[in-house]
Structure formats: C-alpha cells, structure tokens
Amino acid sequence: MSLPQASDLDVAGKRVLVRCDLNVPMEDGPGGSKTVTDDGRIRASVPLLRDLADRGARVIVMAHLGRPKGAPDPALSLRPVVHRLHELIGLERYSVHGAEDVTGPDAKELVERTGPGDIGVLENIRFDPRETSKDDAERGAFADELAALADLYVDDAFGAVHRKHASVYDVAQRLPHAAGPLVASEVAVLERLTESPARPYAVVLGGSKVSDKLKVIEALLPKVDTLLVGGGMCFTFLAAQGYDVGSSLLEADQLDTCRAFLETGKVVLPVDVVAADRFAADAAHDVVDATAIPSDRMGLDIGPRSVELFARALEGAQTVFWNGPMGVFEMEPYAAGTRGVAEAVAALSSGGGGALTVVGGGDSAAAVRALGIDEERFTHISTGGGASLEYLEGKVLPGLAVLEAG
Ligand code: ADP
Ligand code: MG
C-alpha cells in the first residue's frame, strides 16, 4: 500500500487539518473537572504535531472523545486533553488552544488566530451528529465545513481508519491529503503480517469470544504455520473436540466452525486450565487437565503446562501476532497465563531475538502494561484494536483507501 506521507507535504504557512486519536481514559477530578488517566495516545500524537508546527504549518487538530450522543456534552469536552497536549508538546515553546465548538464561530475564530507554528484543537468532533452519520450527504455537508477550515489534511488516527466518518473519510476527499507517521508505521507492520511473512509464522489468539475473532482466524489460518488458542475462546475449541468444559465460556453455535479450523492441523489448544467455581478473584480455583474440567467449574486462565507448551510452539518463530489475553488477567489469580505467553512472545524479539512480534487489541495492549512487561520488547504494539483486526481480516478500510486514492 503506497500512502502519501505527511513528511512530503509542503506545509509552511498552510492550514493543516490533522485527525488525531486522542480518545484517552478520563476520571473525575476536583470540582466537577476531568483529568486524563492514561495519556499514551496524546504522547503518541505529539511527534507529528511538533514536526508540522516546526515546519511552519498552522495546525488544526480534530479528534473525538468517548461517545457523545451527537450533541455537546461538557463531560466529554476535549479541554483537559488540550491542556495535557500543551504540557507534553512544550508549554513555553508552542501555542496550543482549544475551540468551544467544532465548525462554529469559535472554531473559525480559532483557525484565524492559529498562526504558523501554532496548534489549534477543535472541540470533540462527535459533538456534531453528522460526523458519524450513515447518510453520505449529511457527512459530506459536515466535511465541507471542516475542509473550509484548512488547505491540507493529514490522518494520524489509525484507530479510526476503519470508520466511514466525516473526519476520517469524507474530508480526505476534499483536501490534498497524506498519512501521518502513526498510520504509516501501523500499516507497514500489518503488511508484514499479511504479505510474505517471515516463517515460521505463529498467531496467538485469546480474549473472550470466538465469534469476535472468526473472520481473523479465517483470514490468517491459511497464512500461518501455527495458531495457538487460549482465553475464553479455547473452550469452544475443546468442546468441538468432544470434551466437557463445565461452566466455561462456550459458544454452541461456533462448534462446527471450530471443528473446521481444527481440521487444518495447525491449531494448538491448552492442555491444562485454571478452573474456578465462580467468576471472581477470590473464587476457589485449581489447575486441572483441559480434558477433565469439572462440570461445576469455569476455566479462567490457561495453566502452567499450557504456557510451556505454547512457549515451545513459539520457539524459532520469525513472525508472531498476538491478540487477546490468555485468561481473565484483570484478576491476579488468572493472570499467569497471559504473563507467561507475553514473556514468551517478547523473548522472540528482544535480547537478541530477531523475530517480528506484534501485539494487537485494546485489552491485550492493556494487559502488557498492567502486567508490567516492557512494551519496548515487542516490535510493535498496535494502537488501533478494531482497525488492525479489520485490516488483518482483509477488509478495505475506508480511511486508508481514501488516502491511497490521489
Ligand atoms: P482484545 O481487546 O485484546 O482484542 P478481547 O476484547 O477479545 O481482547 O478479550 C479480552 C477479554 O477477554 C478480557 O477482558 C479477559 O478478561 C477476557 N477473557 C480472557 N480469558 C477469559 C476466560 N477464560 N473466560 C472469560 N473471559 C476471558
Ligand atoms: Mg477488547
């Protein structure tokens, strides 16, 4: 995929509209205020914004926060995010201001005030219901207003490229455009997973449901050498082999699909699981054979022998994609499986290992952070959960297709 790059745009003195992913978790602060609890996405957006400002662009940022119901909602204002962005980018060196509306009088005034080297941020783009409208004409009218604010468009929000939204899709049709570095690097890595990957190629899947990951399994299974399955979805596979899985997660309507996947001979399943008597951190729990789960127990993690088995199956892999925790890692008694597999994957690319290791999925990335594993040990941790999975499924992502088109 050859995407035009932001670094090739001549931006000096131009108004550059940048779509960023600034959708960060927030909590209530003092006096009804809100504070950012994890500024990872804001940090990731800084390099492009700083580069554009340094090259004399008049930078106008658009981003969404949460899911406002198509109307302004003070609780989802980008104001605290603008404040944090200003701190991260440099309070003294750069001027960063937020608008009180999206394309209204205040936004227009902000754009006028934003000079070369300055950064202006529009209010939460989803305060306008036309942003996410299914009606092309409605989105188009909104995109006209956005495009009128700028000369050029840059998309650096990989997490939104699978959405046909005005700020992602329609506006790119109306302005000369390019991909920002986050979008470009994400696409480059995903291409390495889909186009002639280095072998052996292993995929590790977990998480809660088979049905969520069905299309990814279908798309990747023909390309991989090994598919390791843990997490809640492994129980539907075990049941497909005829084993009783107790009260573990089970998707009865996926049994035939799982049987077909098993017939490829590429699927490796856990041999033991941590079985608990309730879905709770303080539940009674034991390690049992995966083929002998007591009928009143639910599997909430893969067991230690499975971690060893998975680690052995990964040995020598040159390409690894991991999506979905191996267990309910949010509760400490069921975190060891995810920790062990994360370590095994990370070891392939760190400390002299030369494999390509990619972590995808919001909860998987959160697990890496929560379990205290150094993120640098993986080649890449994908920022856009849904978007990366859709890319791997082979879908056309509207936000990328529109950038690729001249
Ligand atoms: P990602 O966001 O990385 O794609 P998913 O959303 O598919 O991952 O799944 C994450 C969730 O799966 C976690 O909240 C985790 O608690 C849950 N999970 C993992 N293993 C199990 C299990 N054995 N039973 C129930 N839930 C599980
Ligand atoms: Mg998830």
Side-chain angles (χ1 to χ4, degrees), residues 11 56 58 65 72 90 96 153 244 247-248 284 312 318 322 345 350 373:
V11 298
R58 300 165 61 194
L65 185 63
V96 181
Y153 169 75
D244 184 356
S247 55
S248 308
R312 262 204 314 281
Q318 289 302 304
W322 167 39
V345 173
S350 56
I373 299 158

Short mmCIF file of all heavy atoms in Angstrom, two decimals, residues 11 56 58 65 72 90 96 153 244 247-248 284 312 318 322 345 350 373:
data_model
loop_
_atom_site.label_atom_id
_atom_site.label_comp_id
_atom_site.label_asym_id
_atom_site.label_seq_id
_atom_site.Cartn_x
_atom_site.Cartn_y
_atom_site.Cartn_z
N VAL A 11 4.14 22.32 3.90
CA VAL A 11 3.13 22.80 4.85
C VAL A 11 3.37 24.24 5.33
O VAL A 11 2.52 24.81 6.01
CB VAL A 11 3.05 21.88 6.09
CG1 VAL A 11 2.63 20.47 5.68
CG2 VAL A 11 4.37 21.84 6.86
N GLY A 56 6.37 25.25 10.21
CA GLY A 56 5.62 26.48 9.92
C GLY A 56 4.18 26.29 9.52
O GLY A 56 3.54 27.21 8.99
N ARG A 58 0.14 25.95 10.08
CA ARG A 58 -0.90 26.39 11.02
C ARG A 58 -1.73 25.14 11.29
O ARG A 58 -2.53 24.73 10.45
CB ARG A 58 -1.74 27.50 10.39
CG ARG A 58 -0.88 28.72 10.02
CD ARG A 58 -1.63 29.65 9.07
NE ARG A 58 -2.84 30.17 9.71
CZ ARG A 58 -3.82 30.78 9.03
NH1 ARG A 58 -3.72 30.94 7.72
NH2 ARG A 58 -4.88 31.24 9.66
N LEU A 65 -13.70 12.15 21.56
CA LEU A 65 -13.51 11.65 22.92
C LEU A 65 -14.79 10.97 23.34
O LEU A 65 -15.86 11.60 23.37
CB LEU A 65 -13.18 12.82 23.85
CG LEU A 65 -12.84 12.45 25.30
CD1 LEU A 65 -11.56 11.61 25.37
CD2 LEU A 65 -12.66 13.71 26.15
N PRO A 72 -23.21 18.52 22.04
CA PRO A 72 -22.18 18.87 23.01
C PRO A 72 -22.49 18.31 24.39
O PRO A 72 -23.63 18.33 24.83
CB PRO A 72 -22.23 20.41 23.02
CG PRO A 72 -22.77 20.77 21.68
CD PRO A 72 -23.74 19.68 21.33
N GLY A 90 5.15 21.03 24.94
CA GLY A 90 6.05 22.09 25.39
C GLY A 90 5.28 23.38 25.65
O GLY A 90 4.90 24.07 24.71
N VAL A 96 -0.83 26.27 22.09
CA VAL A 96 -1.88 25.28 21.84
C VAL A 96 -3.19 25.80 22.44
O VAL A 96 -3.24 26.12 23.63
CB VAL A 96 -1.53 23.91 22.50
CG1 VAL A 96 -2.62 22.89 22.21
CG2 VAL A 96 -0.18 23.39 22.01
N TYR A 153 -4.93 18.03 4.50
CA TYR A 153 -5.45 17.10 5.51
C TYR A 153 -4.43 16.00 5.78
O TYR A 153 -3.86 15.43 4.83
CB TYR A 153 -6.76 16.47 5.01
CG TYR A 153 -7.25 15.31 5.85
CD1 TYR A 153 -7.85 15.52 7.08
CD2 TYR A 153 -7.12 14.00 5.40
CE1 TYR A 153 -8.31 14.46 7.86
CE2 TYR A 153 -7.58 12.93 6.16
CZ TYR A 153 -8.17 13.18 7.39
OH TYR A 153 -8.61 12.11 8.15
N ASP A 244 -16.00 -32.00 27.85
CA ASP A 244 -16.91 -31.22 28.69
C ASP A 244 -16.12 -30.02 29.22
O ASP A 244 -15.03 -30.20 29.77
CB ASP A 244 -17.38 -32.13 29.85
CG ASP A 244 -18.41 -31.43 30.73
OD1 ASP A 244 -18.70 -30.23 30.49
OD2 ASP A 244 -18.91 -32.08 31.67
N SER A 247 -18.65 -24.94 33.23
CA SER A 247 -19.39 -23.69 33.02
C SER A 247 -18.52 -22.61 32.36
O SER A 247 -18.78 -21.42 32.47
CB SER A 247 -19.96 -23.19 34.35
OG SER A 247 -18.91 -23.07 35.30
N SER A 248 -17.46 -23.06 31.67
CA SER A 248 -16.61 -22.11 30.94
C SER A 248 -17.40 -21.46 29.81
O SER A 248 -18.43 -21.98 29.39
CB SER A 248 -15.42 -22.85 30.31
OG SER A 248 -14.75 -23.63 31.25
N ALA A 284 -12.72 -20.27 44.69
CA ALA A 284 -11.86 -21.45 44.82
C ALA A 284 -11.40 -21.84 43.42
O ALA A 284 -12.21 -21.84 42.49
CB ALA A 284 -12.65 -22.59 45.45
N ARG A 312 7.05 -23.47 23.79
CA ARG A 312 7.80 -24.38 22.92
C ARG A 312 7.34 -24.25 21.47
O ARG A 312 8.14 -24.24 20.54
CB ARG A 312 7.63 -25.83 23.39
CG ARG A 312 8.77 -26.32 24.25
CD ARG A 312 8.90 -27.86 24.22
NE ARG A 312 7.62 -28.55 24.40
CZ ARG A 312 7.01 -28.73 25.57
NH1 ARG A 312 7.56 -28.29 26.69
NH2 ARG A 312 5.86 -29.37 25.65
N GLN A 318 9.53 -16.66 13.41
CA GLN A 318 10.11 -15.41 12.89
C GLN A 318 9.08 -14.28 12.85
O GLN A 318 9.43 -13.11 12.80
CB GLN A 318 10.67 -15.65 11.48
CG GLN A 318 11.93 -16.51 11.49
CD GLN A 318 13.03 -15.88 12.33
OE1 GLN A 318 13.42 -14.74 12.10
NE2 GLN A 318 13.52 -16.61 13.33
N TRP A 322 0.01 -11.57 18.21
CA TRP A 322 -0.72 -11.98 19.41
C TRP A 322 -1.89 -11.04 19.65
O TRP A 322 -1.70 -9.83 19.73
CB TRP A 322 0.20 -12.00 20.64
CG TRP A 322 -0.55 -12.12 21.93
CD1 TRP A 322 -1.66 -12.89 22.16
CD2 TRP A 322 -0.28 -11.44 23.16
NE1 TRP A 322 -2.10 -12.73 23.46
CE2 TRP A 322 -1.28 -11.85 24.08
CE3 TRP A 322 0.70 -10.54 23.57
CZ2 TRP A 322 -1.31 -11.36 25.39
CZ3 TRP A 322 0.67 -10.06 24.87
CH2 TRP A 322 -0.32 -10.48 25.77
N VAL A 345 6.47 -14.47 23.90
CA VAL A 345 6.43 -13.72 22.64
C VAL A 345 7.51 -12.64 22.65
O VAL A 345 8.29 -12.51 21.70
CB VAL A 345 5.03 -13.09 22.42
CG1 VAL A 345 5.04 -12.18 21.19
CG2 VAL A 345 3.96 -14.18 22.26
N SER A 350 13.21 -9.60 21.64
CA SER A 350 14.12 -8.82 22.48
C SER A 350 15.32 -9.67 22.86
O SER A 350 15.32 -10.87 22.65
CB SER A 350 13.38 -8.34 23.73
OG SER A 350 12.82 -9.42 24.43
N ILE A 373 5.07 -5.63 31.70
CA ILE A 373 6.04 -6.11 30.71
C ILE A 373 6.48 -4.92 29.87
O ILE A 373 5.63 -4.14 29.41
CB ILE A 373 5.41 -7.21 29.84
CG1 ILE A 373 5.01 -8.38 30.74
CG2 ILE A 373 6.37 -7.67 28.75
CD1 ILE A 373 3.95 -9.26 30.16
#
